[in-house]
Amino acid sequence: MRAILLAAAALVVATPAVAGSKLQGWVTTGDKSQLLAAQAPSSVASAETVAGLPVIAVDTKERHQTIVGFGAAITDASAWLIQNKLTPVKRDQLLRELYGRGEGGLGFSFTRITIGASDFSLDHYSLDDVPNGAADPKLEHFSLKRPQEYVFPTVRAALKINPDLKVMASPWSAPAWMKTTGSLVKGQLKPEAYPVYADFFARYVKEAAKVGVPTDYLSIQNEPDFEPDNYPGMRWNAKDRARFFGENLAPVFERQKITTKVLDWDHNWDHPEQPTTVLADPRARAFLAGVAWHCYAGDVSAQQPVTEANPDKEIFLTECSGGEWSPKFDDSFSWMVENLIIGATRGGARGVLMWNLALDEKFGPHAGGCGDCRGVLSIDSTSGAITRTQEYYAFGHASRFVKPGATRIGSPAKLGDLRTVAFQNRDGGRVLIVLNVGTQPATFAITESGRRFKASLPARAAGTFTW
């Protein structure tokens, strides 16, 4: 088993490089025969060599959004596994592989954590649980004890490896005493709780910062158009969210000089009218940094109209999970690359996140909710053995090469069976991600600024090319 794991890790040790006259390539195939495998570098090609081939024209003059990063959520479940099922040495090695850039690290630079419990927690709790259903308007029972156990230590370790890591925080529910149900499950926020909930968010941001966990981005409610029946959740309609942003959260953050960027929606592609309604409110719009999307319903194309209508706002894809509903490596790998790595960024996303960073061999631990979600990694709860899933490789094609501060540049969305997105890093290096969705190998030309290269991809394969 150890030999197999070492061999798998060896597939990702090549460090990306940029060379003026060389095309570097890394390929993952649907049959897993290549997993982020380095290709032999190729030199600039002559016009005769690429004559008649499909041409992927990369245009550095076409400039779009800058990139915050790619990554996955450090959920309670993920952090608990990392902290409890790995030896200190293996834990450090894994975090360096995920968040480092040297020696083939994935370079994850964006993550999400939960404010209180989600379905991927060991149990249900909030950061202000009060005995016997009493209220706590002065937040005297507010406590970071639970995230300090596993999540915050994992975030701090990741930040030590990658100081560029940006952290987003989202609650699945307000504390039970603030809600119409008196429970973390189902319900809405009581109107009289709006002011204290704004204070709650300010308290969280400031207290987390004191213990070394920044809140670069915040959403006020995970999936506000959904009330799950067996784990924390809270419905919150668009007009009421807009009112909370403008009348409650904005004044508190301004008064306390909190600079955390706040995102609306944090839910699926199928209801773009929800964030559009919030952004139509003048006070909410003035306060909000942008919009966060999830992948579970609708189509990635829903991002584009919202992005184009709000060019001053930041766009993110903040949750998507693979799972046993799509168990085949080639199918789910291809879907992730096409919709999240290519589609979401072409739709304006500055950052893209998977859901659980790590789950165990039984797709847990979890307390309600999804029973067959995959993590980016699987950590065996008995042996500590690590399995890298298709999501690991899909995201690695972007995160290892597209660095924070990179700019998305021009390339064709589709070219026959090829799907593409291109970036330019701050050091001038170009990065082109290409997916071949077809059943036949594809050979093509890449052109940019007078240079041309010849490249190829097997069927159902993705490649990252740098020069």
Side-chain angles (χ1 to χ4, degrees), residues 400-415:
R400 282 185 57 199
F401 308 95
V402 182
K403 299 175 183 177
T407 300
R408 184 170 72 84
I409 56 177
S411 72
K414 296 182 179 181
L415 191 68

Side-chain angles (χ1 to χ4, degrees), residues 240-400:
D240 287 343
R241 294 198 311 274
R243 179 164 62 87
F244 178 76
F245 288 132
E247 296 181 9
N248 302 107
L249 198 59
V252 169
F253 273 28
E254 182 177 356
R255 184 167 63 249
Q256 299 194 29
K257 296 180 171 57
I258 293 172
T259 59
T260 293
K261 294 182 177 182
V262 180
L263 306 174
D264 182 48
W265 193 219
D266 213 4
H267 206 167
N268 292 326
W269 291 318
D270 59 340
H271 286 293
E273 75 280 359
Q274 285 247 7
T276 299
T277 296
V278 172
L279 289 171
D281 180 282
R283 287 183 296 181
R285 182 183 185 86
F287 173 67
L288 286 169
V291 176
W293 299 95
H294 294 185
C295 77
Y296 306 114
D299 186 85
V300 66
S301 60
Q303 287 182 202
Q304 194 66 42
V306 178
T307 299
E308 291 176 354
N310 301 280
D312 58 326
K313 300 302 179 186
E314 302 182 44
I315 305 298
F316 291 87
L317 190 289
T318 53
E319 187 184 317
C320 192
S321 183
E324 291 308 287
W325 56 85
S326 180
K328 291 182 62 180
F329 184 100
D330 58 347
D331 289 341
S332 48
F333 172 81
S334 180
W335 191 93
M336 293 286 171
V337 175
E338 182 170 11
N339 288 278
L340 306 184
I341 303 305
I342 296 175
T345 55
R346 293 194 71 93
R350 300 192 64 208
V352 183
L353 290 170
M354 289 304 296
W355 184 207
N356 292 277
L357 180 64
L359 293 175
D360 67 17
E361 72 281 5
K362 297 179 180 178
F363 314 110
H366 65 98
C370 183
D372 59 355
C373 286
R374 268 195 310 270
V376 172
L377 303 165
S378 177
I379 298 177
D380 189 279
S381 58
T382 301
S383 67
I386 297 167
T387 303
R388 294 155 183 84
T389 68
Q390 45 266 59
E391 289 77 27
Y392 175 101
Y393 295 104
F395 271 61
H397 270 281
S399 63
R400 282 185 57 199

